[in-house]
Amino acid sequence: MSDDVEIEISGREARLILRYGYPFQDQAPAFEAVAGKAGFHRLMIERFWLEMLVGDLSRSIKEVRSAALQEELDSLCITLEIAMRYSA
């Protein structure tokens, strides 16, 4: 099993990760490169860092007040978890 996981996210989702996932300095540039851009983008992220992002996003879900934003962050977590589950 590879340590890298391919994820497919939108520019909006990359922005959410940067704001609410608190990516570490080494991982942030991958998300910054696609943040706000149209369409979907494929990125390779190490499983460990992806697990950290999901944890941070989950914590952020509890801290934000907007129900719509909570749902959007929850959906993003599910997308990332599915990518981890089905990565080779």
Side-chain angles (χ1 to χ4, degrees):
M1 183 149 86
S2 173
D3 285 343
D4 289 335
V5 176
E6 183 179 58
I7 61 171
E8 186 173 79
I9 58 171
S10 68
R12 166 75 176 157
E13 290 169 328
R15 252 193 208 154
L16 290 173
I17 287 171
L18 289 168
R19 182 158 183 195
Y20 298 102
Y22 313 107
F24 287 84
Q25 193 172 21
D26 291 347
Q27 287 68 47
F31 297 104
E32 290 167 348
V34 300
K37 292 187 178 177
F40 284 86
H41 312 276
R42 290 185 178 175
L43 304 174
M44 295 298 289
I45 305 295
E46 288 182 47
R47 180 176 298 275
F48 173 80
W49 298 115
L50 199 51
E51 290 172 353
M52 297 293 286
L53 283 174
V54 170
D56 286 340
L57 288 167
S58 297
R59 186 185 72 225
S60 291
I61 290 169
K62 296 176 184 177
E63 296 174 353
V64 298
R65 293 182 183 213
S66 166
L69 181 55
Q70 287 174 337
E71 287 183 28
E72 196 171 11
L73 292 172
D74 184 56
S75 178
L76 177 54
C77 284
I78 291 168
T79 297
L80 299 177
E81 289 169 341
I82 288 170
M84 283 189 287
R85 183 178 299 143
Y86 293 106
S87 68

